[in-house]
Amino acid sequence: MNHLSTGAEIRPINDSALVVQLGNEPSPIVHQRIMCFSTLLEDNPFNGFIECVPAYLNVAVYYNPYLVYQSQSFRTSVSPFQIVRHYIKGLLHQLADQKRFTGRKIVIPVLYGDEYGPDLDYVAQYNNLSIEDVIRIHTEKEYLVYMIGFAPGFPFIGGMSKQIATPRKSTPRLAIAPGSVGIAGEQTGVYTLETPGGWQIIGRTPMELFLPDQVPPSLLKAGDTIQFLSISQEEYQQYEQGGRKNE
């Protein structure tokens, strides 16, 4: 896995954070590099380490500069950023020996169309497909969660077929219900909170992806794979009434 340690760039964000750039274009290979580095750092934290946050092309590393400085056995003019950068460079050399990162696979049930997916007809018409074709294409692939962002628990995922790619709405909705599954360009995603948004809404899941009373509060994590499963109105109600939202 020597490709994992190539192309890394480390630069400061502010006096308590830096970013480790591990690629230039989003891809499963770059994502694997990011997740292996994140896992290695979390398993081998330096003094003053707070957390690391993976994204499409990089990992942000947050730290307490005072604790980083105090961790040195002798006083030095070297800055906390330089200390952390030196430590991270050492970890990057170990990436070649890291095992491949494997995330969880999570199935997300979705009720497509009607009031739960008001834009499903539009997506089908835009792509010269039937509604059944859109649902089939959307559910037949596994998707990779690249990062969590925008709203708490919101997954940025890759892998959607270009066959159902559809532009965002010209006028965003002021409120989109939690659990709404949408398409924006070549992306698909799930709204975790009620927020404004311009994605084309094709369905809704009864699963709760943001769980504020749990640790961690996000059901999905970077590195997970997800697959959407088409369900009926009756099955949707069973999920809601039976307390099976997060199975």
Side-chain angles (χ1 to χ4, degrees), residues 9-39:
E9 177 187 353
I10 304 171
R11 59 183 185 274
I13 299 176
N14 52 40
D15 61 359
S16 61
L18 57 79
V19 64
V20 183
Q21 187 82 16
L22 291 164
N24 297 314
E25 294 286 340
S27 72
I29 290 177
V30 171
H31 181 72
Q32 182 66 207
R33 189 182 304 160
I34 286 170
M35 296 310 300
C36 283
F37 170 74
S38 298
T39 301

Side-chain angles (χ1 to χ4, degrees), residues 118-128 166-169 200:
D119 301 317
L120 179 60
D121 285 350
Y122 178 79
V123 171
Q125 293 173 11
Y126 182 86
N127 290 286
N128 296 313
T166 311
R168 288 174 170 83
K169 301 181 76 67
Q200 306 287 349

Side-chain angles (χ1 to χ4, degrees), residues 89-238:
K89 283 184 176 180
L91 286 185
L92 289 171
H93 287 302
Q94 300 178 38
L95 280 183
D97 300 323
Q98 282 291 98
K99 294 181 179 179
R100 181 175 180 82
F101 177 87
T102 303
R104 303 166 300 165
K105 179 177 178 179
I106 297 176
V107 176
I108 298 180
V110 180
L111 177 55
Y112 288 91
D114 298 326
E115 62 181 297
Y116 296 94
D119 301 317
L120 179 60
D121 285 350
Y122 178 79
V123 171
Q125 293 173 11
Y126 182 86
N127 290 286
N128 296 313
L129 297 168
S130 67
I131 288 175
E132 293 74 19
D133 283 338
V134 173
I135 296 172
R136 175 184 55 78
I137 293 169
H138 193 255
T139 56
E140 68 185 0
K141 296 191 69 174
E142 289 187 356
Y143 300 87
L144 177 62
V145 178
Y146 279 89
M147 60 178 285
I148 302 296
F150 165 62
F154 185 98
F156 283 82
I157 65 178
M160 192 186 78
S161 171
K162 294 182 179 181
Q163 290 179 282
I164 54 176
T166 311
R168 288 174 170 83
K169 301 181 76 67
S170 57
T171 302
R173 291 184 173 92
L174 297 179
I176 294 179
S180 293
V181 178
I183 288 175
E186 295 181 16
Q187 299 181 89
T188 185
V190 185
Y191 282 78
T192 55
L193 299 174
E194 183 177 292
T195 64
W199 291 40
Q200 306 287 349
I201 304 303
I202 62 173
R204 190 184 304 171
T205 178
M207 292 181 73
E208 294 179 1
L209 302 189
F210 177 56
L211 310 163
D213 296 332
Q214 297 188 21
V215 179
S218 176
L219 176 65
L220 299 176
K221 302 175 183 178
D224 289 341
T225 56
I226 62 177
Q227 185 162 18
F228 297 105
L229 172 69
S230 179
I231 60 174
S232 66
Q233 176 78 55
E234 181 181 0
E235 290 171 317
Y236 186 97
Q237 292 172 345
Q238 288 175 352

